[in-house]
Structure formats: structure tokens, C-alpha cells
Amino acid sequence: MFEDQLQAVNELITTNSEFKVLHDRHYELDEKVSELSTGPIDDFTLEKMKKEKLLIKDQMAAILANHTK
């Protein structure tokens, strides 16, 4: 995620608490989605987590865009 802006992402993780919380939650959801995708889980729960993950990514992208201006 945001591989082309890795330096800015790392800077935001250390300087912007909101971005760090979003980053940590996104990572947590990514791990859960990957783990649960291979086992039995209801589709509603999996889709809910995927949507939350996308929302967080959009929020992170907005913060990143403001940071790199």
C-alpha cells in the first residue's frame, strides 16, 4: 500500500497520530481478512471488514495527499 510514497508514509507514521492509528488498524484488518479468507466465515463479516479497510485506506490517502502538497 502506497509503495511509491513509502518515505512520506513512514514520516506520517511517526509524526501524525491519526495516520498511525489508521495505518495500524488497516494492517490489523489486512491480517484478519487474509486469515479469515481461507477459513469458514460468513460473507457479511468478511465484506464488512473489507469495506472498513477500504475506508481507512481512503482516509490515509487523503492525509498523505495533504502531506505531500
Side-chain angles (χ1 to χ4, degrees):
M1 176 179 60
F2 306 118
E3 290 82 13
D4 58 327
Q5 299 171 312
L6 197 54
Q7 183 177 355
V9 168
N10 288 331
E11 184 178 315
L12 281 168
I13 288 171
T14 60
T15 62
N16 185 311
S17 60
E18 179 185 7
F19 189 87
K20 175 148 178 40
V21 168
L22 291 169
H23 179 270
D24 292 348
R25 179 66 179 150
H26 186 274
Y27 179 80
E28 177 185 326
L29 284 168
D30 192 43
E31 291 292 312
K32 284 183 180 179
V33 166
S34 293
E35 180 181 308
L36 296 174
S37 292
T38 60
I41 186 172
D42 66 281
D43 289 339
F44 178 77
T45 301
L46 188 58
E47 288 302 313
K48 184 178 175 187
M49 285 194 291
K50 286 180 178 181
K51 286 179 183 180
E52 181 182 356
K53 192 176 134 189
L54 286 173
L55 177 64
I56 290 170
K57 187 174 180 180
D58 289 345
Q59 292 171 330
M60 290 171 61
I63 293 171
L64 188 58
N66 285 333
H67 176 75
T68 57
K69 282 185 180 179

